[in-house]
Amino acid sequence: MAVDTFPPIICTVDVVLLTLHDDALHVVLHLRDREPFLGMPALPGGYVHQQEDRDAEDAAVRVLRDKTGIASPYLEQLATLSGPARDPRGWSISVAYYALVPRQLLPVDAAQLRLMPADRLPALPFDHRRIVELAVSRVRVKSHYSSLPVHLCGERFTLPQLQSVYEAVLGEPVNKVSFRRKMDELAMLEPIDGELELGRANRPAQLYRVRREFRRTLSLLERGLGS
Amino acid sequence: MAVDTFPPIICTVDVVLLTLHDDALHVVLHLRDREPFLGMPALPGGYVHQQEDRDAEDAAVRVLRDKTGIASPYLEQLATLSGPARDPRGWSISVAYYALVPRQLLPVDAAQLRLMPADRLPALPFDHRRIVELAVSRVRVKSHYSSLPVHLCGERFTLPQLQSVYEAVLGEPVNKVSFRRKMDELAMLEPIDGELELGRANRPAQLYRVRREFRRTLSLLERGLGS
DNA sequence: CGAATAGTGTCTGTTAGACATTATCGA
DNA sequence: TCGATAATGTCTAACAGACACTATTCG
């Protein structure tokens, strides 16, 4: 069939960059610097560059670096969306990724960025709302049985802090004893010897960090956290 | 940058069509009818046709129908693979899907098809071996906590039959009492009134079918099957 | 009736969550 | 010493798996 008579399929990547703010999942949006939808907040995204990207994930990393300054967040492929109508420029394919980053690693005052709560989004161009919904749902499901939420924490954190991150992501309270048993079962954390979180009027909490082996990987539970 | 000086990115879909044969997962391969790799067994796949496909999934359905004759199997997106080297024709993106089909729905003598055990594959072109591995791994994981394997059964089946399908997919025995409790919990099966599997020298088994609501959906378990 | 497998009752070890207790800080 | 929260011990209910028992067919 006359494939040549059609313009090429548009190949892009989009990244749902998630972080925690005010104990709630937030999405980092980027103000579009070109048409279509110039000036609107949207997911950081862009064309796949076959001359410089080794694959779509590489393109996602590049886009994230160029548009948000985030260098090496936890990044995973989410889904691929396609069709004639999702992009006004023509028939397109977008490989969507999600990324998690600790709040402190976000650039403090980047004029081109917006931090929006994941469950109260503004109108978004393309099918970006659906992509965000997919990402949030994926992160919630995966947080039930994996160490995914540690990538929202900084390098050092206490178990109560980590538990509240899990609770923020899952949107429900977590049993403290079970939570600690599970974190132990994941075998992914190590206490930082002698380091406590002092300064508050109560017993100080032990500081932990992620073991080196799990810095880029997830640890999985046989049985997830309850409810 | 001079995007226009490069040929367009090649956009394709590939489908890992899985079925059960001799109590083991098998992949349906298609003998390629064009270059590259003419004549080699490969995953059914092809170009996305922007003039006729509503999206990549639509393309996968079309490819599956045209190459294997399978009309409406259970189909799910698996992953998207991309890069300059995976296809000798140039920089390509392939949206990969997996599909499950009962053995009896496969065309009996299709000269262009080959049924191969999923864990002892022949050499495959492109990165098709990796795609099959991803699919098998995904199906195994998902079968632990969902009704996915019912799509490998015909319309009517007994619980012992379904259990042996689960065991074949998971590659491990399953506790009978727990299995039945879980199938009950999934609330996805209904007994076919008065229909038993007679003809063998033992107590006949009740025949079941999938409830209409679950024909195109999965049912998920809170806690998966053991081990 | 005997062999064979379907289907179910029941017991026990494991796991998860509720609750209570102890530990350790700042004020 | 008191208030607050960390950390852990312990009890109980829910669950999963092992085993045994009953049911129903064919030969």
Side-chain angles (χ1 to χ4, degrees):
Chain A
M1 276 162 250
V3 171
D4 295 327
T5 64
F6 284 84
I9 291 176
I10 296 161
C11 292
T12 61
V13 293
D14 287 298
V15 183
V16 183
L17 179 60
L18 295 167
T19 194
L20 223 50
H21 177 59
D22 290 342
D23 284 331
L25 273 180
H26 280 62
V27 186
V28 178
L29 299 176
H30 176 257
L31 301 185
R32 286 186 59 82
D33 51 15
R34 67 185 69 182
E35 293 291 350
F37 306 113
L38 175 68
M40 273 190 76
L43 294 179
Y47 289 103
V48 173
H49 292 168
Q50 50 177 311
Q51 67 275 28
E52 50 178 321
D53 299 327
R54 284 171 311 165
D55 55 23
E57 180 166 319
D58 210 35
V61 169
R62 172 180 54 76
V63 160
L64 210 50
R65 178 170 25 81
D66 291 353
K67 304 213 166 178
T68 72
I70 300 296
S72 62
Y74 180 82
L75 184 81
E76 224 181 307
Q77 196 181 111
L78 174 64
T80 298
L81 294 90
S82 55
R86 53 177 302 284
D87 188 317
R89 290 166 291 189
W91 218 104
S92 67
I93 284 187
S94 170
V95 188
Y97 292 80
Y98 70 90
L100 303 185
V101 71
R103 180 85 175 80
Q104 342 40 310
L105 290 190
L106 282 179
V108 180
D109 34 45
Q112 81 283 10
L113 297 184
R114 291 288 181 277
L115 198 60
M116 302 297 294
D119 51 5
R120 255 175 304 160
L121 290 174
L124 295 181
F126 309 103
D127 48 8
H128 285 189
R129 169 178 282 272
R130 171 156 169 65
I131 298 179
V132 173
E133 285 166 357
L134 285 173
V136 169
S137 153
R138 174 80 64 90
V139 168
R140 292 230 160 100
V141 167
K142 217 155 174 171
S143 296
H144 265 106
Y145 62 89
S146 81
S147 61
L148 189 58
V150 300
H151 298 287
L152 292 168
C153 292
E155 204 176 323
R156 300 144 49 90
F157 48 86
T158 68
L159 284 180
Q161 282 167 6
L162 183 58
Q163 178 172 350
S164 87
V165 170
Y166 267 85
E167 290 173 335
V169 172
L170 296 176
E172 65 195 8
V174 166
N175 180 279
K176 180 169 61 164
V177 179
S178 296
F179 178 74
R180 283 162 178 263
R181 273 195 294 245
K182 291 298 183 182
M183 287 308 111
D184 189 57
E185 187 186 325
L186 282 172
M188 159 205 56
L189 301 180
E190 56 185 7
I192 307 176
D193 195 53
E195 297 275 335
L196 302 178
E197 189 207 32
L198 293 166
R200 290 197 304 155
N202 54 33
R203 175 171 172 179
Q206 174 67 52
L207 281 165
Y208 289 83
R209 65 176 158 232
V210 177
R211 286 186 200 281
R212 193 173 306 276
E213 316 90 87
F214 292 97
R215 268 286 147 78
R216 300 257 118 218
T217 324
L218 291 185
S219 182
L220 303 180
L221 285 170
E222 189 79 16
R223 274 171 271 267
L225 288 163
S227 72
Chain B
M1 276 160 254
V3 170
D4 296 326
T5 65
F6 285 83
I9 291 176
I10 296 162
C11 292
T12 61
V13 293
D14 289 299
V15 184
V16 183
L17 180 59
L18 294 167
T19 194
L20 223 50
H21 177 58
D22 292 340
D23 284 331
L25 272 181
H26 280 63
V27 185
V28 179
L29 299 176
H30 176 257
L31 301 185
R32 287 186 58 83
D33 51 15
R34 68 185 68 180
E35 293 292 351
F37 306 111
L38 176 68
M40 274 189 75
L43 293 179
Y47 289 103
V48 173
H49 292 169
Q50 51 177 310
Q51 68 275 29
E52 50 179 321
D53 301 325
R54 285 172 309 164
D55 54 24
E57 179 167 322
D58 210 35
V61 169
R62 171 179 55 75
V63 160
L64 210 52
R65 178 171 23 82
D66 291 352
K67 303 214 167 178
T68 71
I70 300 296
S72 64
Y74 180 82
L75 184 81
E76 223 181 307
Q77 196 181 113
L78 175 63
T80 297
L81 295 89
S82 55
R86 54 177 303 282
D87 189 316
R89 290 166 291 190
W91 218 104
S92 67
I93 284 187
S94 170
V95 188
Y97 291 81
Y98 71 90
L100 303 185
V101 72
R103 179 85 174 80
Q104 48 293 20
L105 288 191
L106 283 178
V108 182
D109 33 46
Q112 81 284 10
L113 297 184
R114 292 286 181 277
L115 199 60
M116 302 297 295
D119 49 6
R120 257 175 302 160
L121 290 174
L124 295 181
F126 310 102
D127 48 7
H128 285 189
R129 168 178 283 272
R130 171 155 170 66
I131 298 178
V132 173
E133 286 166 357
L134 284 173
V136 169
S137 151
R138 173 81 63 91
V139 168
R140 291 229 162 98
V141 167
K142 217 155 174 170
S143 295
H144 265 106
Y145 63 87
S146 81
S147 61
L148 189 58
V150 300
H151 298 287
L152 293 168
C153 291
E155 204 177 325
R156 297 144 51 91
F157 49 87
T158 69
L159 284 180
Q161 283 167 6
L162 182 59
Q163 179 173 347
S164 85
V165 170
Y166 268 85
E167 290 173 334
V169 172
L170 296 175
E172 64 193 11
V174 167
N175 181 278
K176 180 170 62 163
V177 179
S178 296
F179 178 75
R180 283 160 178 266
R181 274 195 292 244
K182 291 297 183 182
M183 289 306 111
D184 189 56
E185 188 186 324
L186 282 172
M188 158 205 57
L189 302 180
E190 57 185 6
I192 307 177
D193 196 52
E195 297 275 335
L196 303 177
E197 189 206 33
L198 293 165
R200 289 196 305 155
N202 53 35
R203 175 170 171 179
Q206 176 66 51
L207 281 165
Y208 289 83
R209 67 178 158 231
V210 178
R211 287 186 202 279
R212 191 173 308 276
E213 314 91 87
F214 292 98
R215 269 285 147 78
R216 299 259 119 217
T217 324
L218 291 185
S219 182
L220 302 181
L221 284 170
E222 188 80 17
R223 275 172 271 266
L225 289 163
S227 75

